[in-house]
Amino acid sequence: MTDSASTGAVHARRYEDILVVTIDHPPVNALSAAVRAGLARAVRQARDDAQVRAILLTGSGKAFIAGADIREFGKPPQPPSLPEVCNLIEASPKPVVAVLHGAALGGGLEVALAAHYRVALPGARLGLPEVNLGLLPGAGGTQRAPRLMGAQAALDLMLSGRHLSAQDALAAGLVDAVADGDDALGAGLAHARQLLAMHAGPRRTRDASAALADKPAALAAVDAAAERVAATSRGLYSPARIVEAVRAAIELPFEQGLQAERALFLQCLDSSQRAGLVHAFFAERATAKAPELMQARPRRLERIGVVGGGTMGAGIAVAVLDAGLPVVMVEQDEAALERGRARVARVYDLLVGKGRMDADERAARLARFTGATSYDALAEADLIIEAIYEDMDAKLAVFAQLDRVAKPGAVLATNTSYLDVDRIAQATRGPADVLGLHFFSPANIMKLLEVVVGSRTAPDTVATGFELARRLRKIPVRAGVCDGFIGNRILAAYRQAADMMMEDGASPYEIDAAVRAFGYPMGPYQMMDLAGGDIGWATRKRRAATRDPALRYVQIADRLCERGWFGQKTGRGYYLYPDGARQGQPDPEVLAIIDAERRRAGVSPRAFSEEEIQRRYLAAMINEAANVLSEGIALRPSDIDVVALSGYGFPRYRGGPMHYADQAGLPRILADLRGYAAQDPAFWKPSPLLVELAESGRDFASLNRNA
């Protein structure tokens, strides 16, 4: 080792005839302006130093380069640009080796692709996930990746946003070798010295041709990807631009391909979808900023109990087992417990059958799973999650038992979707230990977790709920206590708006189509059929005694449930599902029932346009969300956006209902509400918060800054 130089975020140190350039920009070596400038300076230094024969790029800490610096999002770009840096690296007259450990993502992988050689450590993760932010790799990634791994593999990588392991990257051709151990510097130096001993010079990715040698096959892969994107991306902007960029890599010389990529990147950058996706990204990060987390640390969390082995309880158990924690499930009798065991095992059997898990891993996870028919089996659990059916008396009985057996300091959680967490906590002697953990079905897949904080829930209980979410790799959102919390309370409002439109003349199929056209994967009636109409029916019957008589009540759903038409599980609901079909068909009998209900209610049906359906649906959603916010049920507008995005299918590229309202303009939303209120003032009463913001020229985003 000889002389060294430091430029702050990038350090250069010569090891004999190899200049080691280390990115040192905690926590993940993101590509800030200082990092880009430091890399450019170091490469030029190596170029001009006669004693340097090779360059080694490495990252300090836990990553190579995890991507762009999010702290620079939305700010004017500072030189040098990343494409300039990558081109400078690739043009080096001396061989450049990148040694990858931890994350090499987005622009970080583009830097590595610009290097002449790449070696990865076993734990490295490589990816080009810009599509998740409405962008495409804009520093040569769409041109270099296909030249190394072929068009189809490169398209799969960029369109999915997924990460490759080191071994998968080796097989794909993105890296040249996978080193043993965890010494990035040692592995990189060894690889560079081996190259020098072989008198290997620069090997520029731009000149690679083997992976695209079969041009007709490469273009066929692009055409297939274009068709797939058109069919599955539901209006997303950047995927089609990615496909175009890869086509340019095949059809154009490298420099022209870079120019095409840059033009397409700038189109994505200017897209409203990028703004929505970036908002969603930051909104998810902001959910962890709960006041209780500033006050307390989580409690011990090593053993988990689950009460209930139904669909939800089994899904929760799988999520916990997947996180590496042991689970004990308690059911009322052996038969119910065996059904719960079978549901858990079935999840893993399906994964093994699909090749996504091997038999040994299945066995390891199930080895952490035990069951019992006595609450006493929960005596050592650090956190116990009740996941039985939605009935207050039943839940109170469970919590009385949990209060009897739980050890001091154990957290007791209810998975209720609607019920009063404070009342449930009163069944115990320690309401400070009680909170709601509202999982979304299927609980082992859905990312959202509402952490419901009761009036007496202790800060460290809340912190423990957030810590469980972190371990389960879920997105936690703090919610206050009300009927339905954040998501289901807002859902009730826009479903009511949909029901009123249905009774007023729109068919459920027209409403579903309009909601899908907005960007949802499913409309409200498709979703009801999927979830099961009996669930909503039970809630409506529970609320019947306290229903506001001034509010309109549409009975169409009740008529279907009275016939036992609960959706997919019964073969018919709003749609028909012949022979167990997953895709429903419109049902003429449902339309006849709707017509009969219109006559009973004295409604003269009228036509609704797609735009009118969307505007009413969204106005109801946004208005109730404003009420949820003003009552303190949600901490900030962006939290409501996360709930809608992660739990209810709101199109991610639109950023969530509060972000969408800001983009559409709060005065327009308020004008719509006031127009609808002329016919139905009880339901369409504008939220005071929405009125205040719209009339003062402010938006919901201003409240995110103050949260």
Side-chain angles (χ1 to χ4, degrees), residues 174-418:
L174 279 186
V175 301
D176 304 301
V178 176
D180 295 327
D182 57 5
D183 180 4
L185 177 60
L189 286 171
H191 198 78
R193 288 189 175 119
Q194 182 181 14
L195 290 169
L196 290 175
M198 296 166 57
H199 303 288
R203 185 195 58 180
R204 297 182 175 90
T205 304
R206 63 182 291 160
D207 299 327
S209 59
L212 297 179
D214 188 342
K215 186 174 180 179
L219 289 173
V222 170
D223 290 339
E227 291 180 10
R228 188 167 66 250
V229 162
T232 63
S233 291
R234 292 197 311 274
L236 285 173
Y237 187 77
S238 66
R241 310 286 92 71
I242 290 171
V243 175
E244 288 183 46
V246 173
R247 188 184 299 277
I250 300 166
E251 294 182 334
L252 299 177
F254 184 77
E255 290 296 340
Q256 292 180 32
L258 283 182
Q259 293 171 11
E261 175 193 84
R262 192 64 186 168
L264 292 164
F265 177 82
L266 292 175
Q267 290 174 25
C268 293
L269 196 63
D270 290 339
S271 166
S272 63
Q273 292 190 6
R274 181 204 60 89
L277 290 164
V278 169
H279 171 78
F281 173 82
F282 281 109
E284 288 177 354
R285 292 170 64 93
T287 64
K289 298 176 182 176
E292 292 85 358
L293 274 61
M294 307 299 171
Q295 305 169 29
R297 296 177 60 83
R299 301 181 189 180
R300 171 185 167 131
L301 200 57
E302 295 180 9
R303 298 174 183 271
I304 308 297
V306 176
V307 179
T311 300
M312 183 59 77
I316 293 171
V318 169
V320 176
L321 293 170
D322 288 349
L325 294 166
V327 176
V328 56
M329 175 184 284
V330 170
E331 257 291 4
Q332 57 187 347
D333 55 42
E334 286 292 342
L337 180 60
E338 187 53 39
R339 289 193 295 271
R341 289 182 191 274
R343 290 186 181 101
V344 172
R346 192 178 306 125
V347 172
Y348 291 125
D349 289 341
L350 288 171
L351 291 173
V352 171
K354 293 177 180 178
R356 293 166 56 188
M357 178 179 292
D358 61 34
D360 290 343
E361 181 59 29
R362 173 192 180 278
R365 297 192 190 193
L366 289 176
R368 296 193 292 270
F369 180 53
T370 56
T373 57
S374 169
Y375 285 96
D376 293 339
L378 301 170
E380 296 303 315
D382 300 308
L383 184 147
I384 305 168
I385 304 167
E386 166 273 310
I388 67 168
Y389 53 94
E390 284 286 277
D391 179 85
M392 178 60 81
D393 290 339
K395 290 183 185 289
L396 292 174
V398 168
F399 271 78
Q401 290 294 328
L402 297 182
D403 189 56
R404 176 182 65 82
V405 302
K407 67 182 182 182
V411 171
L412 308 182
T414 173
N415 179 55
T416 180
S417 303
Y418 290 94

Side-chain angles (χ1 to χ4, degrees), residues 41-95:
R41 189 179 299 113
V43 171
R44 292 189 181 102
Q45 173 190 339
R47 180 191 63 195
D48 298 337
D49 187 341
Q51 293 181 292
V52 172
R53 296 176 60 210
I55 304 168
L56 176 63
L57 303 180
T58 187
S60 66
K62 61 184 180 181
F64 175 63
I65 301 170
D69 192 332
I70 62 172
R71 290 169 289 194
E72 296 184 359
F73 281 19
K75 297 179 181 179
Q78 299 296 316
S81 70
L82 187 58
E84 291 170 340
V85 173
C86 289
N87 292 341
L88 183 66
I89 291 169
E90 190 171 52
S92 167
K94 300 172 183 180

